[in-house]
Amino acid sequence: MNTHSGRNPCSTGPLAGLVLLLFSFVAHGKAETDTQPTLEVWPQICVAEPNTPCKLDLQLKWQGTPHNLICILSDNAQFTRWCNDSNAVHSLTLNITTDKDIQFEMVDPQSNRIIAAAKFRVTQLSDSSSRRRYRNPWSLF
């Protein structure tokens, strides 16, 4: 005896088709159109001895730029404006010596609009001559 009502339980109705279409848009369409340009600095922080500048190679990497031609600016006077001349270039390595934070900005060369930014931080170690007592003088232990 067949108790099947004649309706295929695996068939997709209009609601299932809409859900499938919505999922497809979220999974595929949005990732390609809403990619935000990013600028990354590595390392992000330098910990230096007191009164000693950081000396290291700093790497900047970027992705998601609309037409891949970009310029890099910084608030540090030792770095001039740098612009890539090829779409294949997506990184820059700088040899730096600094005792202050550096703000980097990626700009569009045609409009000078800021596309993305990244910050390199410098932290000085505290002076080791001022030691902190970990026990109170009245402690029994």
Side-chain angles (χ1 to χ4, degrees), residues 43 75 93 108:
D75 60 356
T93 301
D108 182 332

Side-chain angles (χ1 to χ4, degrees), residues 104-125:
F104 292 97
E105 294 176 341
M106 181 171 60
V107 298
D108 182 332
Q110 281 93 22
S111 66
N112 279 337
R113 184 181 59 90
I114 298 172
I115 300 170
K119 190 167 195 168
F120 172 71
R121 300 185 191 283
V122 176
T123 302
Q124 301 286 329
L125 288 173

Side-chain angles (χ1 to χ4, degrees), residues 66-88:
H67 40 71
N68 294 328
L69 293 177
I70 57 101
C71 292
I72 302 289
L73 308 173
S74 78
D75 60 356
N76 189 311
Q78 67 178 309
F79 302 111
T80 58
R81 176 182 176 121
W82 177 89
C83 297
N84 66 351
D85 55 359
S86 168
N87 292 344

